[in-house]
Amino acid sequence: MANHLGKISGPVRQWADIRSVLGETATSQYALCHSRKINIRSKIKPQAVSVDGSAEPMFYSNGDYEDQISKRNAAIIRGCYGLTNIPYFSDANHMIAWWIKGSTTYYPTNMPGKKSSDAWTWREPTQYCRKIDFDGYNHNAGPIVQSGHPGNYQRVPYFGAVRLHRNIAADPSCICVPDLCKSGVWLPYGSQMHSASSSPTSLRLGFCITYGNKSMLLFRDRLGGAETSDGIDFEFRASDFKKYYLTTGYYDTFMFLGNMPNLTPNVLMQPGAGTFYPLPSVDRLDMRITTDPNDTLEITLGYVGSNVEWSIKNIDEGAYFYIKSRLWAALGDGSVSGYDFPTVPEWTLLSYNERRNGMSYFPTNPGEYDRLIMEVNIYESQGDKEYVTIRKEVRI
């Protein structure tokens, strides 16, 4: 048996090797296969037979090692990688109340009376305790959903748009979002089990933001074609926030799999009836909606020798928007234009960390002016009539 950074690769010969990876002191096969130290987020681990409710147990006949592994892996996929108590709801508002607010009124449709801490548990083995079930086990498997943002909150400009990137696939030995949407993976639905990638669910990856009694859902396209993708972007636009009167402030956010009748992907919508599976995550993201354009743009402006130098930089991670700018030299309060410099008069898309720089010669009589003034208009989209303006002024 090989053990590299907590990952076991076969053939697995000794229970003592398994014990060292788990950090267990127990020596019996039963205790090791039921250890509380087993990381349930690993795709490979011991699990119960008949994991998908079928008559065929998760068992393989005697044969070569590779054949046994193949049959075992097929059963593991069919049984949703040994996960159980996967909560689902028929109303998104109930999911929000249960997952975020710890509601004691609303519970999962398939888990009446169960708390969120009871969800997403491990279907432990009941009969078989085998060394081979640890072949491929990853003791350091990470969360099913991982944030792509390093900070503790994500700013969303109230006048532009933002793309939030989420890592939905990781190490092949870890359970991740695309795995749950693959054909052959079974999730609970009503009184039956069914494949998450087939009718009637047509599950999509969703993103929920909630604050007080206000909640919004944003769906991405169905993940059936994104099984090999390592990430996915959610796009929030200012017009969506304004449409539902979401104010500035901090919002709790989380991700889920689900559907809603007549849903429109990539457009914020109010919660409603459907099928919703909240996804567990250790790094739930806080979102702050801001109206301060200075959180978004950095403008530098100066007069060096006979040159005027300027730059406009997008400093808001994930945010993007269109800009137009104007720079002029003026006298007094600057209300009367004195001399216009070429800047960015057309629609220009500015993404995170992108910068627009410029340099121009000053007019022949610079003594006629005592200041430089730059105004940058920020637009949500090209052709938009609404904008927010940042003004920068320096004395010369």
Side-chain angles (χ1 to χ4, degrees), residues 21-39:
V21 172
L22 298 180
E24 271 285 5
T25 57
T27 58
S28 74
Q29 296 177 203
Y30 182 90
L32 291 174
C33 286
H34 293 79
S35 170
R36 297 298 93 191
K37 295 183 179 181
I38 288 177
N39 186 344

Side-chain angles (χ1 to χ4, degrees), residues 22-276:
L22 298 180
E24 271 285 5
T25 57
T27 58
S28 74
Q29 296 177 203
Y30 182 90
L32 291 174
C33 286
H34 293 79
S35 170
R36 297 298 93 191
K37 295 183 179 181
I38 288 177
N39 186 344
I40 70 172
R41 297 179 304 217
S42 174
K43 287 182 181 178
I44 304 300
K45 56 188 172 290
Q47 60 177 267
V49 300
S50 302
V51 289
D52 66 344
S54 69
E56 181 186 357
M58 192 197 79
F59 185 71
Y60 34 81
S61 59
N62 291 331
D64 61 33
Y65 198 83
E66 288 73 18
D67 181 58
Q68 294 178 29
I69 288 290
S70 176
K71 292 179 178 179
R72 178 207 61 177
N73 290 352
I76 286 175
I77 293 173
R78 188 173 65 246
C80 198
Y81 306 98
L83 296 176
T84 187
N85 287 335
I86 301 174
Y88 82 91
F89 297 80
S90 56
D91 188 300
N93 288 297
H94 297 174
M95 173 182 68
I96 294 165
W98 180 80
W99 192 248
I100 291 291
K101 303 174 183 178
S103 171
T104 57
T105 302
Y106 302 112
Y107 294 101
T109 305
N110 60 324
M111 294 170 54
K114 295 286 187 178
K115 305 183 294 295
S116 59
S117 58
D118 298 324
W120 293 90
T121 54
W122 168 39
R123 191 187 299 268
E124 299 180 42
T126 56
Q127 298 181 44
Y128 305 104
C129 300
R130 301 164 296 203
K131 294 188 290 291
I132 197 172
D133 289 332
F134 284 94
D135 188 346
Y137 170 76
N138 182 358
H139 195 60
N140 298 318
I144 292 176
V145 180
Q146 298 181 1
S147 169
H149 188 266
N152 57 358
Y153 68 86
Q154 169 71 55
R155 286 195 303 265
V156 176
Y158 203 55
F159 44 82
V162 66
R163 290 191 181 104
L164 302 183
H165 183 79
R166 290 292 167 271
N167 299 324
I168 59 171
D171 189 295
S173 63
C174 308
I175 302 170
C176 56
V177 169
D179 293 316
L180 303 179
C181 293
K182 285 182 179 179
S183 177
V185 175
W186 294 73
L187 295 173
Y189 184 75
S191 60
Q192 304 175 353
M193 305 286 283
H194 75 91
S195 172
S197 62
S198 64
S199 179
T201 57
S202 298
L203 292 180
R204 292 170 167 84
L205 187 61
F207 197 98
C208 174
I209 64 172
T210 179
Y211 172 72
N213 60 354
K214 291 182 180 293
S215 298
M216 290 288 108
L217 305 180
L218 182 74
F219 282 93
R220 276 304 308 257
D221 292 332
R222 184 175 165 187
L223 287 180
E227 294 175 356
T228 60
S229 172
D230 65 348
I232 195 167
D233 292 327
F234 288 90
E235 181 176 299
F236 294 88
R237 306 188 69 86
S239 56
D240 295 325
F241 288 105
K242 295 172 185 176
K243 177 181 178 181
Y244 293 109
Y245 307 102
L246 297 181
T247 59
T248 58
Y250 290 87
Y251 289 74
D252 281 320
T253 70
F254 67 96
M255 295 174 66
F256 61 94
L257 295 174
N259 72 348
M260 284 176 60
N262 304 316
L263 66 86
T264 304
N266 303 322
V267 175
L268 275 175
M269 62 190 71
Q270 293 176 310
T275 306
F276 307 93

Side-chain angles (χ1 to χ4, degrees), residues 155 157 159-160 290-301 310-316 321-328 343 350 372-379 386-394:
R155 286 195 303 265
F159 44 82
T290 176
T291 57
D292 186 355
N294 291 296
D295 282 345
T296 301
L297 282 186
E298 175 185 86
I299 301 174
T300 58
L301 183 61
W310 58 269
S311 75
I312 306 169
K313 181 181 179 182
N314 178 357
I315 60 175
D316 201 345
F321 35 77
Y322 287 84
I323 63 169
K324 286 184 176 181
S325 66
R326 178 184 170 220
L327 169 63
W328 70 94
T343 51
L350 205 63
L372 295 172
I373 301 171
M374 172 171 271
E375 287 186 348
V376 182
N377 293 341
I378 307 173
Y379 302 82
E386 291 190 39
Y387 59 88
V388 174
T389 300
I390 297 181
R391 180 182 172 108
K392 177 81 171 183
E393 182 175 321
V394 297

